[in-house]
Amino acid sequence: MLPETESNPEPMAAFGVDAPKHICETPIAHIWRVDRSPGSYAALKIYKDGDMQNEAAGLTFMARMDGRSTAKIYRTHNGAVLMEWLDGPSLGDVSRGGDDIAALNNLIDVAKTVHAKPHFDGDYPPLSDWFEDLFNLNFSPNCNPKSEAIVQKCQSLGRTLIDSQRDLRALHGDLHHDNVLKGKRGYCIIDAKGVYGERAYELANAVRNPVGADALLRDTVRILRYCRTISSEFNVNYQRFWGWVIAHCSLSIAWRCSGTLADDEDLDLLAIMFDLAKQEGLSFD
């Protein structure tokens, strides 16, 4: 069920909405702003071929939040979801606009609210399943030996973390700046993946975000600020959080290279993270 034009009435009728305006296309869906009632917008996300893929569990996660710092889920039907409209800006926009500290503080506040009443039930994939892509990663003959060595170190670190998980619960799974938008109720999360794993993993991806701020992401002062502030304010173990940050960065590399690593834009970031962790007195050997 994929509308090719704004005049396609079928998905609009199914949700009782009208006046669709196409906002964007993601790899797996189209997002429309629609009128839910006079003067009240909603977001209609229509998945390509009706396949929600890895976002189905995320919608369950968001629905269980019941609007607590989360975009409200109004209804899902036939490969589409109607949810609360958030005008923005995103925390990614705030960070890219020059106020990265405010973005960080708001991100932590949202995460704390989401996790204030954790839930432990639901059909969520385990975090260990995600990390199989890192553990099974192969290396191209063209891969730099130093790059291969550092990713192998990440594979070992990831296994250690996965095998020793603690404080398990349902997680958003992709909680970073561009997945938090401002709406009438304040900042709220969108695009949850829904995964079951260690709470300290939840904000690991925030350290290497937002997208489009490459120089900022490699600023050592900023990396240290993020790791120190998140571990303190979000109340997770400092060394384990550092470990998850590094492990997730390497997992993202594994996802991008589709099973065989030759080179990647974030290999230098991994090296920076390991060096900084060592300076902090942390060891992942």
Side-chain angles (χ1 to χ4, degrees):
M1 182 173 62
L2 174 63
E4 298 295 338
T5 70
E6 295 187 7
S7 61
N8 187 336
E10 292 184 12
M12 310 305 153
F15 285 94
V17 296
D18 55 22
K21 179 181 179 181
H22 190 262
I23 301 300
C24 65
E25 178 181 2
T26 75
I28 65 172
H30 285 259
I31 299 174
W32 304 71
R33 190 190 73 184
V34 296
D35 286 352
R36 189 171 179 234
S37 62
S40 176
Y41 294 132
L44 178 61
K45 191 169 188 176
I46 303 176
Y47 291 85
K48 298 174 182 178
D49 298 321
D51 186 1
M52 293 180 173
Q53 299 186 30
N54 66 351
E55 294 189 5
L59 291 174
T60 298
F61 177 88
M62 292 176 65
R64 287 174 181 264
M65 288 294 104
D66 195 25
R68 191 170 70 252
S69 288
T70 306
K72 293 180 179 179
I73 303 299
Y74 298 133
R75 185 187 174 202
T76 58
H77 174 74
N78 196 22
V81 57
L82 187 71
M83 67 182 75
E84 182 179 4
W85 176 257
L86 304 173
D87 284 312
S90 71
L91 290 179
D93 295 327
V94 174
S95 177
R96 287 183 291 264
D99 202 347
D100 186 56
I101 293 177
L104 171 61
N105 290 336
N106 279 288
L107 181 63
I108 294 171
D109 285 345
V110 166
K112 288 166 69 174
T113 302
V114 167
H115 283 268
K117 297 180 180 179
H119 60 279
F120 307 94
D121 55 344
D123 188 16
Y124 302 106
L127 188 57
S128 56
D129 283 0
W130 284 12
F131 273 84
E132 286 300 316
D133 290 326
L134 174 62
F135 303 153
N136 296 327
L137 182 64
N138 297 310
F139 299 93
S140 165
N142 299 324
C143 185
N144 184 296
K146 290 184 177 180
S147 298
E148 182 173 345
I150 198 170
V151 174
Q152 287 176 334
K153 189 173 182 179
C154 292
Q155 290 174 318
S156 177
L157 170 61
R159 288 190 181 95
T160 298
L161 289 167
I162 287 295
D163 290 344
S164 63
Q165 287 186 84
R166 59 189 70 166
D167 198 6
L168 297 170
R169 63 186 62 204
L171 306 174
H172 176 286
D174 195 24
L175 189 46
H176 62 76
H177 305 67
D178 285 308
N179 281 340
V180 182
L181 275 67
K182 196 170 189 178
K184 293 180 179 179
R185 299 184 297 112
Y187 284 107
C188 294
I189 64 170
I190 61 169
D191 288 352
K193 294 297 182 284
V195 64
Y196 190 77
E198 182 173 337
R199 182 173 177 269
Y201 176 80
E202 185 71 290
L203 287 173
N205 197 22
V207 180
R208 51 178 296 277
N209 271 279
V211 172
D214 290 349
L216 184 64
L217 306 188
R218 285 157 176 77
D219 182 333
T220 56
V221 173
R222 192 255 192 183
I223 294 172
L224 287 171
R225 178 191 302 124
Y226 265 58
C227 288
R228 290 170 179 170
T229 304
I230 289 173
S231 62
S232 175
E233 296 298 321
F234 195 52
N235 193 28
V236 293
N237 178 271
Y238 189 51
Q239 172 146 338
R240 290 192 70 83
F241 181 69
W242 262 104
W244 285 119
V245 169
I246 293 171
H248 180 82
C249 186
S250 60
L251 176 60
S252 294
I253 290 172
W255 283 336
R256 280 195 298 272
C257 71
S258 301
T260 302
L261 177 64
D263 195 11
D264 188 85
E265 60 191 19
D266 277 354
L267 286 168
D268 69 314
L269 183 56
L270 271 183
I272 291 170
M273 288 176 172
F274 269 116
D275 287 344
L276 284 175
K278 186 176 181 180
Q279 291 176 32
E280 290 291 278
L282 307 177
S283 175
F284 299 112
D285 295 325

